[in-house]
Amino acid sequence: MRASRACRALVVAHVPKARFTTSTDAQGAGMSHATLHAMAGRTTGDLELTLQPVVDHGSARLAAVLTAAMQRDGRWRAVKTLRIKDLHRGHMFTSLFAHLIGPACPSLQSLKLRCEPANSDFPHRRGYLEPTVFSGLSACPRLTHLTVTNLELTLAAVHQVQLLAIHAPGLTSLTVKVSGADPQAPLVSAAAPRLKTLVWCSIAYSPACATALARCQQLVSVELGGVQGSEL
């Protein structure tokens, strides 16, 4: 028993990567909340953390986990890279937890948000990016990278997209992977002036895309995937 506890303590203190789901199976498999908070709140080392909502009430459960992190001394200060994936169906990316990401992870350097793409089983599956995630990033002064995969900006997010530049002034790297380029053009345009690295997949020619790219005056590296129509 002592050896087992010692091994768990060693893992918590030094593991570089971890995945946590917002619910566990009937046998209680998976990482416990206590282990998650101990790992993410440690004072040494960097942690690459993946949060994965599970089916029903995923947004509410994810909000509860992030709220608990905010209530801890130091919050999740070890988390340098945060992935939130499988955002779809009942747990679309909503204001239930978008505003909690930044405050929960004050040392965050890279944020990656992903919705699984639609398929034959879930043809209408879609995730949305709310403007509250932009304002929440002001709590992460070290943030330099953002990835958005298969998430569309809500109308409110389009109207408030300049909050990204205001609250994440250190953002120099952006990756956008989504079907249809126009919905993401405002996001690229908002981050454009400081961007040094841009990966924009499934980009299609349009005036909005051309304008967004023209604003990227500091680019050192650019990758435009799946260009459609006329060449940019």
Side-chain angles (χ1 to χ4, degrees):
M1 180 64 72
R2 290 181 179 177
S4 178
R5 289 178 179 175
C7 287
R8 285 199 297 270
L10 192 62
V11 168
V12 166
H14 299 289
V15 67
K17 294 183 179 181
R19 180 189 298 271
F20 179 81
T21 57
T22 56
S23 65
T24 56
D25 62 25
Q27 287 72 40
M31 185 191 305
S32 70
H33 285 246
T35 299
L36 169 66
H37 291 303
M39 193 179 298
R42 68 196 184 199
T43 58
T44 59
D46 298 347
L47 180 64
E48 183 177 312
L49 178 63
T50 298
L51 297 178
Q52 188 165 357
V54 176
V55 193
D56 297 331
H57 310 297
S59 289
R61 289 174 179 172
L62 189 52
V65 169
L66 292 170
T67 299
M70 292 173 56
Q71 295 171 348
R72 296 178 60 86
D73 182 29
R75 307 190 179 190
W76 282 356
R77 54 193 163 194
V79 177
K80 301 301 191 298
T81 297
L82 178 65
R83 290 184 175 89
I84 303 181
K85 59 182 300 184
D86 291 354
L87 298 169
H88 58 77
R89 296 171 62 200
H91 43 270
M92 295 180 192
F93 195 65
T94 70
S95 56
L96 276 178
F97 60 85
H99 61 294
L100 302 173
I101 294 174
C105 306
S107 301
L108 198 62
Q109 297 174 3
S110 176
L111 175 61
K112 302 179 180 183
L113 308 171
R114 176 183 175 86
C115 172
E116 295 305 304
N119 55 37
S120 58
D121 293 326
F122 303 106
H124 303 296
R125 180 158 60 192
R126 186 173 296 174
Y128 298 96
L129 193 65
E130 298 281 358
T132 46
V133 72
F134 303 146
S135 55
L137 295 179
S138 61
C140 310
R142 301 176 187 174
L143 186 74
T144 60
H145 176 79
L146 174 65
T147 292
V148 176
T149 303
N150 295 323
L151 288 165
E152 295 184 15
L153 298 176
T154 62
L155 185 59
V158 171
H159 290 160
Q160 301 179 55
V161 73
Q162 290 303 323
L163 290 175
L164 178 63
I166 295 171
H167 294 288
L171 191 70
T172 58
S173 176
L174 177 65
T175 297
V176 177
K177 302 176 182 179
V178 66
S179 297
D182 276 348
Q184 296 302 328
L187 184 66
V188 175
S189 184
R194 297 183 181 90
L195 285 183
K196 295 182 178 180
T197 301
L198 173 65
V199 177
W200 196 351
C201 299
S202 301
I203 184 173
Y205 178 79
S206 73
C209 293
T211 298
L213 288 172
R215 286 174 50 82
C216 300
Q217 298 294 316
Q218 306 298 322
L219 283 181
V220 175
S221 174
V222 59
E223 179 180 335
L224 305 179
V227 175
Q228 303 170 3
S230 303
E231 292 186 0
L232 294 175

Short mmCIF file of all heavy atoms in Angstrom, two decimals, residues 121-168:
data_model
loop_
_atom_site.label_atom_id
_atom_site.label_comp_id
_atom_site.label_asym_id
_atom_site.label_seq_id
_atom_site.Cartn_x
_atom_site.Cartn_y
_atom_site.Cartn_z
N ASP A 121 -23.29 9.35 -38.44
CA ASP A 121 -24.07 9.14 -37.21
C ASP A 121 -24.59 10.44 -36.63
O ASP A 121 -25.69 10.51 -36.07
CB ASP A 121 -23.23 8.40 -36.17
CG ASP A 121 -22.90 6.98 -36.58
OD1 ASP A 121 -23.75 6.35 -37.25
OD2 ASP A 121 -21.79 6.52 -36.26
N PHE A 122 -23.79 11.50 -36.75
CA PHE A 122 -24.16 12.81 -36.21
C PHE A 122 -23.94 13.87 -37.29
O PHE A 122 -23.00 14.66 -37.23
CB PHE A 122 -23.31 13.14 -34.97
CG PHE A 122 -23.41 12.12 -33.87
CD1 PHE A 122 -22.35 11.25 -33.63
CD2 PHE A 122 -24.55 12.01 -33.10
CE1 PHE A 122 -22.43 10.31 -32.63
CE2 PHE A 122 -24.64 11.07 -32.09
CZ PHE A 122 -23.57 10.21 -31.86
N PRO A 123 -24.83 13.91 -38.29
CA PRO A 123 -24.63 14.83 -39.43
C PRO A 123 -24.74 16.30 -39.06
O PRO A 123 -24.24 17.15 -39.79
CB PRO A 123 -25.73 14.41 -40.41
CG PRO A 123 -26.80 13.81 -39.54
CD PRO A 123 -26.05 13.10 -38.44
N HIS A 124 -25.40 16.61 -37.96
CA HIS A 124 -25.59 18.02 -37.59
C HIS A 124 -24.71 18.44 -36.42
O HIS A 124 -24.93 19.48 -35.81
CB HIS A 124 -27.06 18.27 -37.25
CG HIS A 124 -28.00 17.91 -38.35
ND1 HIS A 124 -28.01 18.56 -39.57
CD2 HIS A 124 -28.96 16.94 -38.43
CE1 HIS A 124 -28.93 18.01 -40.35
NE2 HIS A 124 -29.52 17.03 -39.69
N ARG A 125 -23.73 17.61 -36.11
CA ARG A 125 -22.85 17.91 -34.98
C ARG A 125 -22.05 19.18 -35.27
O ARG A 125 -21.48 19.35 -36.34
CB ARG A 125 -21.90 16.73 -34.75
CG ARG A 125 -20.94 16.97 -33.60
CD ARG A 125 -20.41 15.66 -33.05
NE ARG A 125 -19.69 14.89 -34.06
CZ ARG A 125 -19.33 13.63 -33.88
NH1 ARG A 125 -19.64 13.00 -32.76
NH2 ARG A 125 -18.66 12.99 -34.82
N ARG A 126 -22.02 20.06 -34.30
CA ARG A 126 -21.35 21.34 -34.50
C ARG A 126 -20.99 21.94 -33.14
O ARG A 126 -21.70 21.75 -32.16
CB ARG A 126 -22.27 22.29 -35.27
CG ARG A 126 -21.65 23.60 -35.67
CD ARG A 126 -22.59 24.37 -36.56
NE ARG A 126 -22.83 23.68 -37.83
CZ ARG A 126 -23.69 24.09 -38.74
NH1 ARG A 126 -24.40 25.17 -38.53
NH2 ARG A 126 -23.85 23.42 -39.86
N GLY A 127 -19.88 22.61 -33.10
CA GLY A 127 -19.47 23.29 -31.87
C GLY A 127 -19.36 24.78 -32.12
O GLY A 127 -19.19 25.22 -33.27
N TYR A 128 -19.45 25.56 -31.08
CA TYR A 128 -19.46 27.02 -31.22
C TYR A 128 -18.48 27.66 -30.27
O TYR A 128 -18.29 27.21 -29.15
CB TYR A 128 -20.87 27.57 -30.96
CG TYR A 128 -21.88 27.06 -31.94
CD1 TYR A 128 -22.68 25.96 -31.63
CD2 TYR A 128 -22.04 27.66 -33.19
CE1 TYR A 128 -23.61 25.48 -32.54
CE2 TYR A 128 -22.97 27.17 -34.10
CZ TYR A 128 -23.75 26.09 -33.77
OH TYR A 128 -24.66 25.59 -34.66
N LEU A 129 -17.86 28.73 -30.73
CA LEU A 129 -16.91 29.49 -29.93
C LEU A 129 -17.60 30.76 -29.45
O LEU A 129 -18.04 31.57 -30.26
CB LEU A 129 -15.69 29.83 -30.77
CG LEU A 129 -14.46 30.35 -30.04
CD1 LEU A 129 -13.91 29.28 -29.12
CD2 LEU A 129 -13.40 30.79 -31.04
N GLU A 130 -17.70 30.91 -28.14
CA GLU A 130 -18.38 32.06 -27.54
C GLU A 130 -17.37 33.18 -27.24
O GLU A 130 -16.19 32.91 -26.99
CB GLU A 130 -19.06 31.64 -26.23
CG GLU A 130 -20.15 30.60 -26.40
CD GLU A 130 -21.45 31.21 -26.89
OE1 GLU A 130 -21.50 32.43 -27.06
OE2 GLU A 130 -22.40 30.44 -27.10
N PRO A 131 -17.81 34.43 -27.22
CA PRO A 131 -16.88 35.54 -26.96
C PRO A 131 -16.31 35.55 -25.56
O PRO A 131 -15.26 36.17 -25.32
CB PRO A 131 -17.76 36.79 -27.20
CG PRO A 131 -19.16 36.32 -27.00
CD PRO A 131 -19.18 34.90 -27.49
N THR A 132 -16.95 34.85 -24.63
CA THR A 132 -16.45 34.83 -23.26
C THR A 132 -15.08 34.17 -23.15
O THR A 132 -14.33 34.45 -22.21
CB THR A 132 -17.44 34.11 -22.32
OG1 THR A 132 -17.87 32.89 -22.95
CG2 THR A 132 -18.65 34.97 -22.04
N VAL A 133 -14.74 33.30 -24.11
CA VAL A 133 -13.41 32.70 -24.05
C VAL A 133 -12.34 33.75 -24.32
O VAL A 133 -11.24 33.70 -23.75
CB VAL A 133 -13.26 31.53 -25.05
CG1 VAL A 133 -13.20 32.00 -26.47
CG2 VAL A 133 -12.03 30.69 -24.73
N PHE A 134 -12.64 34.75 -25.14
CA PHE A 134 -11.67 35.80 -25.45
C PHE A 134 -11.34 36.63 -24.20
O PHE A 134 -10.17 36.84 -23.87
CB PHE A 134 -12.19 36.73 -26.55
CG PHE A 134 -12.57 36.05 -27.83
CD1 PHE A 134 -13.63 36.51 -28.60
CD2 PHE A 134 -11.87 34.94 -28.27
CE1 PHE A 134 -13.97 35.89 -29.79
CE2 PHE A 134 -12.20 34.30 -29.46
CZ PHE A 134 -13.26 34.78 -30.21
N SER A 135 -12.37 37.10 -23.52
CA SER A 135 -12.14 37.93 -22.34
C SER A 135 -11.47 37.15 -21.23
O SER A 135 -10.67 37.70 -20.47
CB SER A 135 -13.47 38.52 -21.84
OG SER A 135 -14.42 37.50 -21.60
N GLY A 136 -11.75 35.85 -21.14
CA GLY A 136 -11.13 35.03 -20.10
C GLY A 136 -9.64 34.86 -20.28
O GLY A 136 -8.92 34.59 -19.31
N LEU A 137 -9.15 35.05 -21.50
CA LEU A 137 -7.72 34.86 -21.76
C LEU A 137 -6.85 35.97 -21.16
O LEU A 137 -5.63 35.83 -21.14
CB LEU A 137 -7.48 34.77 -23.27
CG LEU A 137 -8.11 33.55 -23.96
CD1 LEU A 137 -7.83 33.58 -25.45
CD2 LEU A 137 -7.62 32.25 -23.34
N SER A 138 -7.46 37.02 -20.68
CA SER A 138 -6.68 38.08 -20.03
C SER A 138 -5.99 37.56 -18.77
O SER A 138 -5.02 38.16 -18.30
CB SER A 138 -7.58 39.26 -19.67
OG SER A 138 -8.60 38.86 -18.76
N ALA A 139 -6.47 36.43 -18.24
CA ALA A 139 -5.86 35.82 -17.05
C ALA A 139 -4.65 34.98 -17.41
O ALA A 139 -4.01 34.41 -16.52
CB ALA A 139 -6.89 34.96 -16.31
N CYS A 140 -4.33 34.88 -18.72
CA CYS A 140 -3.20 34.06 -19.18
C CYS A 140 -2.19 34.93 -19.92
O CYS A 140 -2.13 34.90 -21.16
CB CYS A 140 -3.68 32.95 -20.12
SG CYS A 140 -5.05 31.98 -19.51
N PRO A 141 -1.39 35.71 -19.22
CA PRO A 141 -0.48 36.64 -19.89
C PRO A 141 0.61 35.96 -20.71
O PRO A 141 1.25 36.61 -21.54
CB PRO A 141 0.13 37.43 -18.72
CG PRO A 141 -0.01 36.52 -17.54
CD PRO A 141 -1.29 35.79 -17.75
N ARG A 142 0.83 34.66 -20.51
CA ARG A 142 1.89 33.95 -21.24
C ARG A 142 1.35 33.23 -22.48
O ARG A 142 2.10 32.56 -23.18
CB ARG A 142 2.58 32.93 -20.33
CG ARG A 142 3.22 33.55 -19.10
CD ARG A 142 3.78 32.48 -18.20
NE ARG A 142 4.27 33.04 -16.93
CZ ARG A 142 4.70 32.32 -15.91
NH1 ARG A 142 4.70 30.99 -16.00
NH2 ARG A 142 5.12 32.90 -14.81
N LEU A 143 0.08 33.36 -22.76
CA LEU A 143 -0.51 32.64 -23.90
C LEU A 143 0.06 33.13 -25.22
O LEU A 143 0.02 34.32 -25.51
CB LEU A 143 -2.03 32.82 -23.90
CG LEU A 143 -2.77 32.00 -24.96
CD1 LEU A 143 -2.82 30.53 -24.54
CD2 LEU A 143 -4.19 32.51 -25.16
N THR A 144 0.59 32.19 -26.01
CA THR A 144 1.15 32.54 -27.31
C THR A 144 0.51 31.77 -28.46
O THR A 144 0.68 32.15 -29.62
CB THR A 144 2.67 32.28 -27.34
OG1 THR A 144 2.92 30.89 -27.08
CG2 THR A 144 3.40 33.13 -26.31
N HIS A 145 -0.21 30.68 -28.16
CA HIS A 145 -0.76 29.86 -29.24
C HIS A 145 -2.22 29.50 -28.98
O HIS A 145 -2.61 29.18 -27.86
CB HIS A 145 0.03 28.56 -29.40
CG HIS A 145 -0.56 27.65 -30.44
ND1 HIS A 145 -0.38 27.85 -31.78
CD2 HIS A 145 -1.38 26.57 -30.33
CE1 HIS A 145 -1.04 26.92 -32.46
NE2 HIS A 145 -1.66 26.13 -31.61
N LEU A 146 -3.02 29.51 -30.07
CA LEU A 146 -4.42 29.11 -30.02
C LEU A 146 -4.73 28.24 -31.23
O LEU A 146 -4.38 28.58 -32.36
CB LEU A 146 -5.34 30.34 -30.03
CG LEU A 146 -6.85 30.08 -30.13
CD1 LEU A 146 -7.37 29.35 -28.88
CD2 LEU A 146 -7.61 31.39 -30.32
N THR A 147 -5.36 27.09 -30.98
CA THR A 147 -5.85 26.23 -32.05
C THR A 147 -7.37 26.11 -31.93
O THR A 147 -7.88 25.83 -30.84
CB THR A 147 -5.23 24.82 -31.98
OG1 THR A 147 -3.84 24.90 -32.28
CG2 THR A 147 -5.88 23.89 -33.01
N VAL A 148 -8.07 26.29 -33.03
CA VAL A 148 -9.52 26.15 -33.08
C VAL A 148 -9.85 25.16 -34.17
O VAL A 148 -9.56 25.40 -35.35
CB VAL A 148 -10.22 27.51 -33.36
CG1 VAL A 148 -11.71 27.31 -33.50
CG2 VAL A 148 -9.91 28.50 -32.25
N THR A 149 -10.46 24.03 -33.81
CA THR A 149 -10.76 22.97 -34.77
C THR A 149 -12.25 22.67 -34.80
O THR A 149 -12.84 22.28 -33.77
CB THR A 149 -9.99 21.67 -34.42
OG1 THR A 149 -8.58 21.95 -34.38
CG2 THR A 149 -10.27 20.59 -35.45
N ASN A 150 -12.87 22.88 -35.95
CA ASN A 150 -14.30 22.58 -36.16
C ASN A 150 -15.22 23.31 -35.18
O ASN A 150 -16.24 22.77 -34.76
CB ASN A 150 -14.55 21.07 -36.09
CG ASN A 150 -13.86 20.32 -37.21
OD1 ASN A 150 -13.77 20.80 -38.33
ND2 ASN A 150 -13.33 19.14 -36.89
N LEU A 151 -14.86 24.51 -34.82
CA LEU A 151 -15.70 25.35 -33.98
C LEU A 151 -16.02 26.63 -34.74
O LEU A 151 -15.12 27.30 -35.24
CB LEU A 151 -14.99 25.71 -32.67
CG LEU A 151 -14.84 24.58 -31.65
CD1 LEU A 151 -13.82 24.96 -30.59
CD2 LEU A 151 -16.18 24.26 -31.00
N GLU A 152 -17.29 26.96 -34.82
CA GLU A 152 -17.71 28.18 -35.51
C GLU A 152 -17.91 29.31 -34.51
O GLU A 152 -18.35 29.08 -33.38
CB GLU A 152 -19.02 27.93 -36.27
CG GLU A 152 -18.90 26.93 -37.39
CD GLU A 152 -20.20 26.79 -38.16
OE1 GLU A 152 -21.07 27.66 -38.00
OE2 GLU A 152 -20.33 25.81 -38.91
N LEU A 153 -17.60 30.51 -34.93
CA LEU A 153 -17.87 31.68 -34.10
C LEU A 153 -19.37 31.91 -34.03
O LEU A 153 -20.05 31.88 -35.05
CB LEU A 153 -17.20 32.92 -34.67
CG LEU A 153 -15.67 32.93 -34.78
CD1 LEU A 153 -15.23 34.21 -35.46
CD2 LEU A 153 -15.03 32.78 -33.43
N THR A 154 -19.89 32.14 -32.83
CA THR A 154 -21.28 32.56 -32.73
C THR A 154 -21.39 33.99 -33.25
O THR A 154 -20.37 34.68 -33.44
CB THR A 154 -21.77 32.52 -31.27
OG1 THR A 154 -20.99 33.45 -30.49
CG2 THR A 154 -21.62 31.12 -30.68
N LEU A 155 -22.61 34.44 -33.49
CA LEU A 155 -22.79 35.82 -33.97
C LEU A 155 -22.22 36.81 -32.97
O LEU A 155 -21.59 37.80 -33.35
CB LEU A 155 -24.29 36.09 -34.19
CG LEU A 155 -24.63 37.46 -34.80
CD1 LEU A 155 -23.95 37.63 -36.15
CD2 LEU A 155 -26.14 37.61 -34.94
N ALA A 156 -22.42 36.54 -31.68
CA ALA A 156 -21.86 37.41 -30.64
C ALA A 156 -20.34 37.41 -30.70
O ALA A 156 -19.69 38.46 -30.51
CB ALA A 156 -22.34 36.95 -29.26
N ALA A 157 -19.73 36.24 -30.96
CA ALA A 157 -18.28 36.16 -31.04
C ALA A 157 -17.74 36.94 -32.23
O ALA A 157 -16.68 37.58 -32.14
CB ALA A 157 -17.84 34.70 -31.11
N VAL A 158 -18.46 36.90 -33.35
CA VAL A 158 -18.04 37.67 -34.53
C VAL A 158 -18.04 39.16 -34.22
O VAL A 158 -17.11 39.89 -34.57
CB VAL A 158 -18.99 37.38 -35.72
CG1 VAL A 158 -18.70 38.34 -36.87
CG2 VAL A 158 -18.82 35.94 -36.19
N HIS A 159 -19.07 39.61 -33.51
CA HIS A 159 -19.18 41.03 -33.18
C HIS A 159 -18.17 41.48 -32.13
O HIS A 159 -17.84 42.67 -32.05
CB HIS A 159 -20.61 41.34 -32.69
CG HIS A 159 -21.63 41.25 -33.77
ND1 HIS A 159 -22.98 41.09 -33.52
CD2 HIS A 159 -21.52 41.30 -35.12
CE1 HIS A 159 -23.64 41.05 -34.66
NE2 HIS A 159 -22.77 41.17 -35.65
N GLN A 160 -17.68 40.53 -31.33
CA GLN A 160 -16.76 40.88 -30.25
C GLN A 160 -15.38 40.25 -30.43
O GLN A 160 -14.61 40.15 -29.49
CB GLN A 160 -17.35 40.42 -28.91
CG GLN A 160 -18.69 41.04 -28.58
CD GLN A 160 -19.25 40.54 -27.27
OE1 GLN A 160 -18.61 40.63 -26.22
NE2 GLN A 160 -20.45 40.01 -27.30
N VAL A 161 -15.06 39.87 -31.66
CA VAL A 161 -13.82 39.13 -31.89
C VAL A 161 -12.58 39.96 -31.58
O VAL A 161 -11.51 39.40 -31.28
CB VAL A 161 -13.79 38.63 -33.35
CG1 VAL A 161 -13.54 39.77 -34.32
CG2 VAL A 161 -12.76 37.52 -33.52
N GLN A 162 -12.69 41.29 -31.60
CA GLN A 162 -11.53 42.12 -31.27
C GLN A 162 -11.10 41.96 -29.81
O GLN A 162 -9.99 42.36 -29.44
CB GLN A 162 -11.83 43.59 -31.57
CG GLN A 162 -11.93 43.90 -33.06
CD GLN A 162 -10.67 43.51 -33.82
OE1 GLN A 162 -9.55 43.65 -33.32
NE2 GLN A 162 -10.85 43.00 -35.03
N LEU A 163 -11.96 41.34 -29.00
CA LEU A 163 -11.57 41.06 -27.62
C LEU A 163 -10.36 40.12 -27.58
O LEU A 163 -9.59 40.15 -26.61
CB LEU A 163 -12.74 40.42 -26.86
CG LEU A 163 -13.93 41.32 -26.55
CD1 LEU A 163 -15.05 40.49 -25.90
CD2 LEU A 163 -13.51 42.45 -25.61
N LEU A 164 -10.19 39.31 -28.61
CA LEU A 164 -9.05 38.39 -28.64
C LEU A 164 -7.75 39.17 -28.63
O LEU A 164 -6.82 38.84 -27.86
CB LEU A 164 -9.13 37.50 -29.88
CG LEU A 164 -7.96 36.52 -30.08
CD1 LEU A 164 -7.90 35.52 -28.93
CD2 LEU A 164 -8.09 35.79 -31.42
N ALA A 165 -7.64 40.20 -29.45
CA ALA A 165 -6.42 41.00 -29.50
C ALA A 165 -6.21 41.79 -28.21
O ALA A 165 -5.07 41.98 -27.77
CB ALA A 165 -6.48 41.96 -30.69
N ILE A 166 -7.30 42.20 -27.59
CA ILE A 166 -7.21 43.00 -26.36
C ILE A 166 -6.77 42.14 -25.18
O ILE A 166 -5.91 42.53 -24.38
CB ILE A 166 -8.55 43.67 -26.06
CG1 ILE A 166 -8.90 44.68 -27.15
CG2 ILE A 166 -8.55 44.34 -24.69
CD1 ILE A 166 -10.30 45.24 -27.06
N HIS A 167 -7.36 40.96 -25.05
CA HIS A 167 -7.12 40.12 -23.87
C HIS A 167 -6.03 39.08 -24.06
O HIS A 167 -5.61 38.45 -23.08
CB HIS A 167 -8.43 39.44 -23.46
CG HIS A 167 -9.47 40.40 -22.98
ND1 HIS A 167 -9.40 41.05 -21.78
CD2 HIS A 167 -10.62 40.84 -23.57
CE1 HIS A 167 -10.44 41.83 -21.62
NE2 HIS A 167 -11.20 41.73 -22.70
N ALA A 168 -5.58 38.86 -25.30
CA ALA A 168 -4.46 37.93 -25.54
C ALA A 168 -3.43 38.62 -26.41
O ALA A 168 -3.15 38.19 -27.54
CB ALA A 168 -4.97 36.65 -26.20
#
